[in-house]
Amino acid sequence: MNGHTDILAIESSCDETAAAVIRDGHEVLSNIIYTQIRLHTVYGGVVPEIASRKHIEKMNYVVQRALDKAGMKLKDVDAVAVTYGPGLVGALLVGVAEAKAMAWAAGKPLIGVNHIEGHISANYIEHPELKPPYLGLVVSGGHTHLIIVKDWAKFDILGRTVDDAAGEAFDKVARAIGLGYPGGPKIDACAKQGNPDAIVFPQAKVHGSEYDFSFSGLKSAVLNYLNHAAMTHEEVNKADLAASFQKAVVDVLVSHTIEAAKHYGIREVAMAGGVSANSALRAGMAEACEKAGCKLFVPSPIYCTDNAAMIGVAAYHEYMAGTRSGWDLNAVPGLKLGER
Ligand code: KG4
Ligand code: ZN
Protein backbone atom coordinates (compact mmCIF):
# COMPACT_ATOMS: atom_id res chain seq x y z
CA MET A 1 0.00 0.00 0.00
CA ASN A 2 3.07 2.24 -0.41
CA GLY A 3 4.05 1.64 -4.02
CA HIS A 4 5.57 -1.66 -2.95
CA THR A 5 4.09 -5.12 -2.74
CA ASP A 6 4.50 -6.29 0.85
CA ILE A 7 3.51 -9.83 1.76
CA LEU A 8 3.17 -11.25 5.25
CA ALA A 9 4.11 -14.95 5.06
CA ILE A 10 3.62 -17.76 7.55
CA GLU A 11 5.33 -21.17 7.70
CA SER A 12 4.52 -24.01 10.11
CA SER A 13 4.84 -27.22 8.07
CA CYS A 14 7.25 -29.01 10.40
CA ASP A 15 9.13 -27.87 13.50
CA GLU A 16 9.75 -24.19 12.77
CA THR A 17 7.14 -21.55 13.61
CA ALA A 18 8.01 -18.74 11.23
CA ALA A 19 6.70 -15.44 9.87
CA ALA A 20 8.24 -12.87 7.54
CA VAL A 21 7.43 -9.71 5.61
CA ILE A 22 8.77 -9.68 2.05
CA ARG A 23 8.88 -6.57 -0.14
CA ASP A 24 8.59 -6.84 -3.93
CA GLY A 25 9.47 -10.51 -3.98
CA HIS A 26 13.02 -10.36 -2.69
CA GLU A 27 13.60 -7.78 0.04
CA VAL A 28 13.39 -9.34 3.51
CA LEU A 29 11.88 -6.73 5.86
CA SER A 30 11.68 -9.31 8.64
CA ASN A 31 12.29 -13.03 9.04
CA ILE A 32 11.35 -14.47 12.43
CA ILE A 33 11.95 -18.16 13.14
CA TYR A 34 11.07 -19.91 16.36
CA THR A 35 12.72 -23.30 16.08
CA GLN A 36 11.38 -26.20 18.13
CA ILE A 37 14.44 -28.37 17.46
CA ARG A 38 15.48 -28.48 21.13
CA LEU A 39 12.05 -29.78 22.15
CA HIS A 40 12.16 -32.67 19.67
CA THR A 41 15.82 -33.58 20.29
CA VAL A 42 14.87 -35.58 23.38
CA TYR A 43 12.71 -37.85 21.20
CA GLY A 44 15.28 -38.22 18.40
CA GLY A 45 12.93 -36.69 15.81
CA VAL A 46 9.91 -34.47 15.29
CA VAL A 47 6.85 -35.51 17.33
CA PRO A 48 3.87 -34.22 15.28
CA GLU A 49 1.52 -33.49 18.18
CA ILE A 50 4.17 -31.59 20.11
CA ALA A 51 4.96 -29.60 16.95
CA SER A 52 1.29 -28.59 16.51
CA ARG A 53 0.92 -27.59 20.13
CA LYS A 54 4.07 -25.47 20.05
CA HIS A 55 2.96 -23.77 16.81
CA ILE A 56 -0.33 -22.79 18.50
CA GLU A 57 1.57 -21.39 21.46
CA LYS A 58 4.13 -19.37 19.48
CA MET A 59 2.32 -18.37 16.28
CA ASN A 60 0.79 -15.04 17.31
CA TYR A 61 4.00 -13.97 18.98
CA VAL A 62 6.09 -14.81 15.89
CA VAL A 63 3.68 -13.02 13.52
CA GLN A 64 3.60 -9.94 15.77
CA ARG A 65 7.39 -9.82 15.85
CA ALA A 66 7.58 -10.11 12.06
CA LEU A 67 5.20 -7.17 11.63
CA ASP A 68 6.96 -5.10 14.34
CA LYS A 69 10.39 -5.71 12.86
CA ALA A 70 9.12 -4.66 9.42
CA GLY A 71 7.59 -1.54 11.03
CA MET A 72 4.14 -2.51 9.79
CA LYS A 73 0.64 -3.24 10.91
CA LEU A 74 -1.51 -5.95 9.39
CA LYS A 75 -3.48 -3.28 7.51
CA ASP A 76 -0.28 -2.20 5.69
CA VAL A 77 0.46 -5.50 3.93
CA ASP A 78 -0.92 -6.36 0.49
CA ALA A 79 -1.54 -10.06 1.09
CA VAL A 80 -1.19 -12.84 3.63
CA ALA A 81 0.58 -16.00 2.45
CA VAL A 82 0.90 -19.38 4.13
CA THR A 83 2.39 -22.82 3.51
CA TYR A 84 -0.53 -25.24 3.07
CA GLY A 85 1.50 -28.34 2.11
CA PRO A 86 3.38 -30.60 2.03
CA GLY A 87 4.14 -31.23 5.69
CA LEU A 88 2.64 -32.48 8.94
CA VAL A 89 -1.10 -31.95 8.78
CA GLY A 90 -1.57 -30.73 12.37
CA ALA A 91 1.38 -28.37 12.03
CA LEU A 92 0.22 -26.97 8.67
CA LEU A 93 -3.30 -26.38 10.02
CA VAL A 94 -2.02 -23.95 12.65
CA GLY A 95 -0.45 -21.69 10.02
CA VAL A 96 -3.36 -22.03 7.61
CA ALA A 97 -5.91 -21.14 10.32
CA GLU A 98 -3.81 -18.16 11.45
CA ALA A 99 -3.37 -16.82 7.90
CA LYS A 100 -7.04 -17.24 7.05
CA ALA A 101 -8.18 -15.48 10.21
CA MET A 102 -5.82 -12.57 9.63
CA ALA A 103 -6.53 -12.18 5.92
CA TRP A 104 -10.26 -12.35 6.55
CA ALA A 105 -10.22 -9.90 9.44
CA ALA A 106 -8.04 -7.38 7.57
CA GLY A 107 -9.76 -7.85 4.19
CA LYS A 108 -6.53 -8.99 2.48
CA PRO A 109 -6.04 -11.59 -0.24
CA LEU A 110 -4.96 -15.02 0.96
CA ILE A 111 -2.29 -17.00 -0.92
CA GLY A 112 -1.61 -20.66 -0.16
CA VAL A 113 1.99 -21.62 -0.98
CA ASN A 114 3.57 -24.99 -1.78
CA HIS A 115 6.45 -25.53 0.69
CA ILE A 116 8.82 -27.02 -1.92
CA GLU A 117 8.14 -24.10 -4.26
CA GLY A 118 9.05 -21.94 -1.26
CA HIS A 119 12.41 -23.68 -0.83
CA ILE A 120 13.27 -23.08 -4.50
CA SER A 121 12.19 -19.44 -4.23
CA ALA A 122 14.64 -18.86 -1.37
CA ASN A 123 17.25 -18.36 -4.09
CA TYR A 124 15.55 -15.17 -5.35
CA ILE A 125 16.18 -13.39 -2.03
CA GLU A 126 19.91 -13.01 -2.50
CA HIS A 127 20.04 -13.66 -6.25
CA PRO A 128 17.29 -11.53 -7.82
CA GLU A 129 19.11 -11.98 -11.15
CA LEU A 130 18.20 -15.70 -11.15
CA LYS A 131 15.27 -16.28 -13.49
CA PRO A 132 13.69 -19.41 -14.96
CA PRO A 133 14.54 -21.53 -16.85
CA TYR A 134 17.25 -23.17 -14.75
CA LEU A 135 18.12 -26.51 -13.19
CA GLY A 136 17.09 -26.99 -9.56
CA LEU A 137 18.10 -29.48 -6.88
CA VAL A 138 15.75 -29.55 -3.88
CA VAL A 139 17.16 -31.52 -0.97
CA SER A 140 15.30 -31.35 2.32
CA GLY A 141 14.14 -33.60 5.15
CA GLY A 142 11.16 -34.78 3.13
CA HIS A 143 12.13 -34.20 -0.52
CA THR A 144 14.85 -34.88 -3.04
CA HIS A 145 13.98 -33.55 -6.48
CA LEU A 146 16.08 -32.76 -9.52
CA ILE A 147 13.98 -30.39 -11.61
CA ILE A 148 13.92 -27.93 -14.44
CA VAL A 149 12.31 -24.73 -13.20
CA LYS A 150 10.56 -23.74 -16.44
CA ASP A 151 8.76 -20.72 -15.07
CA TRP A 152 8.10 -19.18 -11.61
CA ALA A 153 5.69 -21.95 -10.66
CA LYS A 154 6.23 -24.49 -13.45
CA PHE A 155 8.48 -27.46 -12.93
CA ASP A 156 9.59 -30.51 -14.89
CA ILE A 157 10.69 -33.25 -12.51
CA LEU A 158 13.71 -35.09 -13.95
CA GLY A 159 14.42 -37.27 -10.93
CA ARG A 160 13.41 -37.88 -7.34
CA THR A 161 14.23 -40.24 -4.51
CA VAL A 162 12.60 -43.65 -4.73
CA ASP A 163 12.86 -44.12 -0.94
CA ASP A 164 14.36 -41.87 1.76
CA ALA A 165 14.91 -38.15 1.19
CA ALA A 166 18.51 -36.92 1.45
CA GLY A 167 17.85 -35.14 4.76
CA GLU A 168 16.08 -38.21 6.12
CA ALA A 169 19.19 -40.28 5.33
CA PHE A 170 21.35 -37.76 7.22
CA ASP A 171 18.96 -37.89 10.19
CA LYS A 172 18.76 -41.70 10.29
CA VAL A 173 22.50 -42.23 9.92
CA ALA A 174 23.24 -39.60 12.59
CA ARG A 175 20.93 -41.43 14.97
CA ALA A 176 22.67 -44.75 14.21
CA ILE A 177 26.12 -43.25 14.84
CA GLY A 178 24.82 -41.68 18.06
CA LEU A 179 25.09 -38.07 16.98
CA GLY A 180 21.44 -37.23 17.72
CA TYR A 181 18.84 -35.00 16.08
CA PRO A 182 18.87 -33.09 13.75
CA GLY A 183 21.33 -35.29 11.96
CA GLY A 184 22.34 -33.11 9.02
CA PRO A 185 24.18 -30.35 10.89
CA LYS A 186 25.68 -32.90 13.34
CA ILE A 187 27.11 -35.06 10.52
CA ASP A 188 28.30 -31.95 8.70
CA ALA A 189 30.28 -30.84 11.79
CA CYS A 190 31.56 -34.33 12.72
CA ALA A 191 32.66 -35.07 9.12
CA LYS A 192 35.03 -32.09 9.20
CA GLN A 193 37.32 -34.15 11.46
CA GLY A 194 37.08 -37.28 9.31
CA ASN A 195 38.48 -38.81 6.13
CA PRO A 196 35.82 -39.04 3.40
CA ASP A 197 37.77 -41.81 1.65
CA ALA A 198 38.12 -44.00 4.76
CA ILE A 199 35.12 -46.20 3.93
CA VAL A 200 33.76 -46.86 0.45
CA PHE A 201 29.95 -46.90 0.48
CA PRO A 202 27.70 -47.87 -2.45
CA GLN A 203 26.51 -45.16 -4.82
CA ALA A 204 22.99 -43.95 -4.06
CA LYS A 205 21.90 -44.46 -7.66
CA VAL A 206 18.89 -46.21 -9.16
CA HIS A 207 19.78 -48.55 -11.98
CA GLY A 208 17.97 -47.84 -15.20
CA SER A 209 16.66 -44.46 -14.08
CA GLU A 210 19.26 -41.86 -14.74
CA TYR A 211 18.26 -38.99 -12.49
CA ASP A 212 16.53 -40.78 -9.61
CA PHE A 213 18.10 -41.25 -6.18
CA SER A 214 17.96 -44.04 -3.61
CA PHE A 215 19.38 -43.52 -0.14
CA SER A 216 18.02 -46.51 1.78
CA GLY A 217 20.75 -48.88 0.49
CA LEU A 218 23.38 -46.42 1.65
CA LYS A 219 21.73 -46.16 5.06
CA SER A 220 21.69 -49.98 5.33
CA ALA A 221 25.37 -50.10 4.37
CA VAL A 222 26.16 -47.74 7.26
CA LEU A 223 24.07 -49.87 9.65
CA ASN A 224 25.84 -53.04 8.44
CA TYR A 225 29.19 -51.37 8.97
CA LEU A 226 28.21 -50.48 12.55
CA ASN A 227 26.85 -53.98 13.28
CA HIS A 228 29.96 -55.62 11.92
CA ALA A 229 32.16 -53.36 14.04
CA ALA A 230 30.07 -54.15 17.15
CA MET A 231 30.33 -57.90 16.53
CA THR A 232 34.06 -57.84 15.99
CA HIS A 233 34.59 -55.36 18.86
CA GLU A 234 36.28 -52.92 16.53
CA GLU A 235 36.18 -49.29 17.44
CA VAL A 236 34.27 -47.08 15.01
CA ASN A 237 35.80 -43.79 13.97
CA LYS A 238 32.63 -41.67 13.93
CA ALA A 239 34.24 -38.82 12.03
CA ASP A 240 35.49 -41.12 9.26
CA LEU A 241 32.10 -42.80 9.07
CA ALA A 242 30.24 -39.46 8.93
CA ALA A 243 32.63 -38.08 6.30
CA SER A 244 32.44 -41.22 4.13
CA PHE A 245 28.62 -41.35 4.30
CA GLN A 246 28.39 -37.65 3.52
CA LYS A 247 30.71 -38.07 0.54
CA ALA A 248 28.50 -40.84 -0.89
CA VAL A 249 25.43 -38.56 -0.65
CA VAL A 250 27.22 -35.52 -2.04
CA ASP A 251 28.76 -37.49 -4.93
CA VAL A 252 25.42 -38.69 -6.26
CA LEU A 253 23.68 -35.33 -5.81
CA VAL A 254 26.49 -33.57 -7.66
CA SER A 255 26.90 -36.13 -10.46
CA HIS A 256 23.17 -36.31 -11.28
CA THR A 257 22.92 -32.52 -11.31
CA ILE A 258 25.93 -32.03 -13.58
CA GLU A 259 24.84 -34.83 -15.94
CA ALA A 260 21.40 -33.23 -16.26
CA ALA A 261 22.90 -29.76 -16.81
CA LYS A 262 25.04 -31.14 -19.63
CA HIS A 263 22.25 -33.22 -21.15
CA TYR A 264 19.73 -30.37 -21.21
CA GLY A 265 22.32 -27.70 -22.00
CA ILE A 266 21.42 -25.66 -18.90
CA ARG A 267 24.05 -23.28 -17.53
CA GLU A 268 22.36 -22.14 -14.33
CA VAL A 269 21.97 -24.43 -11.34
CA ALA A 270 20.21 -23.61 -8.05
CA MET A 271 20.13 -25.67 -4.86
CA ALA A 272 17.51 -25.42 -2.13
CA GLY A 273 16.26 -27.09 1.06
CA GLY A 274 17.83 -27.93 4.39
CA VAL A 275 20.51 -30.25 3.03
CA SER A 276 21.80 -27.49 0.72
CA ALA A 277 23.15 -25.93 3.94
CA ASN A 278 25.64 -28.84 4.01
CA SER A 279 29.19 -27.53 3.68
CA ALA A 280 30.51 -30.53 1.69
CA LEU A 281 27.59 -30.35 -0.75
CA ARG A 282 28.06 -26.60 -1.23
CA ALA A 283 31.79 -27.05 -1.85
CA GLY A 284 31.38 -30.13 -4.07
CA MET A 285 28.63 -28.60 -6.18
CA ALA A 286 30.52 -25.31 -6.55
CA GLU A 287 33.61 -27.11 -7.79
CA ALA A 288 31.69 -29.35 -10.22
CA CYS A 289 29.66 -26.43 -11.57
CA GLU A 290 32.77 -24.40 -12.18
CA LYS A 291 34.35 -27.31 -14.06
CA ALA A 292 31.22 -27.78 -16.15
CA GLY A 293 30.92 -24.05 -16.90
CA CYS A 294 27.71 -23.64 -14.91
CA LYS A 295 26.78 -20.83 -12.54
CA LEU A 296 25.67 -22.07 -9.12
CA PHE A 297 23.11 -20.34 -6.89
CA VAL A 298 22.63 -21.38 -3.25
CA PRO A 299 20.77 -19.49 -0.52
CA SER A 300 22.57 -18.54 2.71
CA PRO A 301 22.12 -21.39 5.23
CA ILE A 302 19.37 -19.48 7.12
CA TYR A 303 17.23 -19.50 3.94
CA CYS A 304 18.03 -23.18 3.19
CA THR A 305 16.30 -24.59 6.25
CA ASP A 306 12.63 -23.83 6.93
CA ASN A 307 11.70 -20.15 7.08
CA ALA A 308 8.81 -17.90 6.08
CA ALA A 309 10.85 -15.49 3.94
CA MET A 310 11.02 -18.09 1.16
CA ILE A 311 7.24 -18.54 1.41
CA GLY A 312 6.75 -14.79 0.99
CA VAL A 313 8.97 -14.81 -2.12
CA ALA A 314 7.06 -17.70 -3.72
CA ALA A 315 3.79 -15.96 -2.78
CA TYR A 316 4.90 -12.77 -4.52
CA HIS A 317 5.19 -14.55 -7.87
CA GLU A 318 1.85 -16.26 -7.30
CA TYR A 319 0.32 -12.91 -6.31
CA MET A 320 1.64 -11.21 -9.46
CA ALA A 321 0.27 -14.10 -11.54
CA GLY A 322 -3.17 -13.50 -9.99
CA THR A 323 -3.30 -16.56 -7.73
CA ARG A 324 -5.70 -16.16 -4.79
CA SER A 325 -6.80 -18.86 -2.36
CA GLY A 326 -10.38 -19.23 -1.19
CA TRP A 327 -11.61 -19.13 2.40
CA ASP A 328 -11.86 -22.91 2.12
CA LEU A 329 -8.05 -23.25 1.92
CA ASN A 330 -7.06 -26.40 3.79
CA ALA A 331 -3.82 -28.17 4.73
CA VAL A 332 -2.69 -30.67 2.08
CA PRO A 333 0.00 -32.83 3.75
CA GLY A 334 0.88 -34.71 0.54
CA LEU A 335 0.92 -31.71 -1.82
CA LYS A 336 3.23 -32.39 -4.80
CA LEU A 337 5.60 -29.94 -6.44
CA GLY A 338 3.80 -28.01 -9.17
CA GLU A 339 0.39 -28.87 -7.70
CA ARG A 340 -2.01 -26.22 -6.46
O1 KG4 B 1 14.25 -27.92 4.44
P1 KG4 B 1 14.22 -28.39 5.84
O2 KG4 B 1 14.52 -27.42 6.93
O3 KG4 B 1 12.83 -29.03 6.20
C1 KG4 B 1 12.10 -29.80 5.31
O4 KG4 B 1 11.35 -29.24 4.50
O5 KG4 B 1 12.28 -31.05 5.39
O6 KG4 B 1 15.22 -29.62 5.90
C2 KG4 B 1 15.53 -30.28 7.07
C3 KG4 B 1 16.54 -31.33 6.75
C4 KG4 B 1 16.85 -32.24 7.92
O7 KG4 B 1 16.83 -33.58 7.49
C5 KG4 B 1 18.25 -31.81 8.33
O8 KG4 B 1 19.02 -32.86 8.93
C6 KG4 B 1 18.82 -31.38 7.01
O9 KG4 B 1 17.77 -30.73 6.35
N1 KG4 B 1 19.97 -30.47 7.17
C7 KG4 B 1 21.23 -30.76 6.79
C8 KG4 B 1 22.04 -29.68 7.20
N2 KG4 B 1 21.24 -28.75 7.80
C9 KG4 B 1 19.97 -29.26 7.78
N3 KG4 B 1 21.72 -31.84 6.16
C10 KG4 B 1 23.04 -31.88 5.92
N4 KG4 B 1 23.89 -30.89 6.30
C11 KG4 B 1 23.44 -29.78 6.93
N5 KG4 B 1 24.29 -28.81 7.29
ZN1 ZN C 1 11.39 -27.46 4.30
Side-chain angles (χ1 to χ4, degrees), residues 280-295:
L281 177 59
R282 294 167 86 93
M285 193 67 89
E287 194 187 323
C289 279
E290 197 181 334
K291 224 188 245 169
C294 293
K295 188 160 167 37

Side-chain angles (χ1 to χ4, degrees), residues 206-266:
V206 182
H207 290 291
S209 119
E210 222 178 338
Y211 300 123
D212 281 341
F213 306 93
S214 166
F215 295 106
S216 74
L218 175 58
K219 176 193 66 193
S220 302
V222 174
L223 295 180
N224 288 342
Y225 181 89
L226 285 168
N227 286 339
H228 182 264
M231 274 178 353
T232 53
H233 304 290
E234 279 168 57
E235 208 172 310
V236 172
N237 182 325
K238 285 187 184 184
D240 282 353
L241 184 52
S244 303
F245 158 77
Q246 181 172 268
K247 179 176 191 286
V249 176
V250 169
D251 280 355
V252 75
L253 293 174
V254 170
S255 69
H256 278 23
T257 305
I258 299 299
E259 277 161 31
K262 286 183 179 159
H263 181 83
Y264 290 95
I266 301 176

Side-chain angles (χ1 to χ4, degrees), residues 13 115 119 140 305-306 310:
S13 66
H115 181 79
H119 272 302
S140 71
T305 45
D306 287 349
M310 66 185 198

Side-chain angles (χ1 to χ4, degrees), residues 24-311:
D24 300 330
H26 61 88
E27 195 184 336
V28 181
L29 299 188
S30 62
N31 183 34
I32 308 297
I33 305 169
Y34 169 78
T35 178
Q36 309 178 357
I37 284 178
R38 241 170 13 94
L39 268 175
H40 299 284
T41 301
V42 209
Y43 305 97
V46 179
V47 182
E49 186 178 331
I50 295 179
S52 310
R53 287 175 180 277
K54 214 59 194 176
H55 284 313
I56 279 280
E57 213 179 292
K58 295 290 177 185
M59 186 55 86
N60 280 347
Y61 165 77
V62 164
V63 168
Q64 188 62 60
R65 281 207 39 208
L67 285 169
D68 288 350
K69 184 115 192 281
M72 290 191 167
K73 302 256 183 270
L74 182 55
K75 66 173 175 46
D76 302 325
V77 304
D78 295 274
V80 180
V82 64
T83 303
Y84 74 105
L88 301 168
V89 66
L92 289 164
L93 280 171
V94 176
V96 169
E98 176 91 1
K100 283 168 87 166
M102 288 199 309
W104 184 78
K108 305 288 177 183
L110 174 71
I111 303 169
V113 174
N114 182 312
H115 181 79
I116 316 173
E117 199 179 312
H119 272 302
I120 298 161
S121 304
N123 278 291
Y124 307 134
I125 297 171
E126 294 152 300
H127 312 293
E129 72 278 19
L130 176 67
K131 290 185 174 62
Y134 61 88
L135 189 68
L137 176 70
V138 188
V139 274
S140 71
H143 302 90
T144 307
H145 285 318
L146 184 60
I147 57 178
I148 295 177
V149 181
K150 288 199 299 188
D151 207 338
W152 298 112
K154 286 209 180 72
F155 313 95
D156 270 349
I157 300 177
L158 304 179
R160 53 158 65 87
T161 178
V162 297
D163 40 57
D164 292 348
E168 205 176 341
F170 270 96
D171 294 337
K172 287 178 176 171
V173 165
R175 194 181 310 166
I177 312 180
L179 294 177
Y181 178 84
K186 298 250 166 90
I187 288 192
D188 196 344
C190 181
K192 290 202 163 82
Q193 265 75 53
N195 171 11
D197 299 313
I199 311 157
V200 179
F201 284 122
Q203 280 271 332
K205 290 192 172 175
V206 182
H207 290 291
S209 119
E210 222 178 338
Y211 300 123
D212 281 341
F213 306 93
S214 166
F215 295 106
S216 74
L218 175 58
K219 176 193 66 193
S220 302
V222 174
L223 295 180
N224 288 342
Y225 181 89
L226 285 168
N227 286 339
H228 182 264
M231 274 178 353
T232 53
H233 304 290
E234 279 168 57
E235 208 172 310
V236 172
N237 182 325
K238 285 187 184 184
D240 282 353
L241 184 52
S244 303
F245 158 77
Q246 181 172 268
K247 179 176 191 286
V249 176
V250 169
D251 280 355
V252 75
L253 293 174
V254 170
S255 69
H256 278 23
T257 305
I258 299 299
E259 277 161 31
K262 286 183 179 159
H263 181 83
Y264 290 95
I266 301 176
R267 289 288 172 111
E268 293 192 316
V269 175
M271 290 204 293
V275 181
S276 60
N278 183 270
S279 59
L281 177 59
R282 294 167 86 93
M285 193 67 89
E287 194 187 323
C289 279
E290 197 181 334
K291 224 188 245 169
C294 293
K295 188 160 167 37
L296 175 66
F297 299 88
V298 197
S300 294
I302 189 70
Y303 298 125
C304 288
T305 45
D306 287 349
N307 65 87
M310 66 185 198
I311 302 303

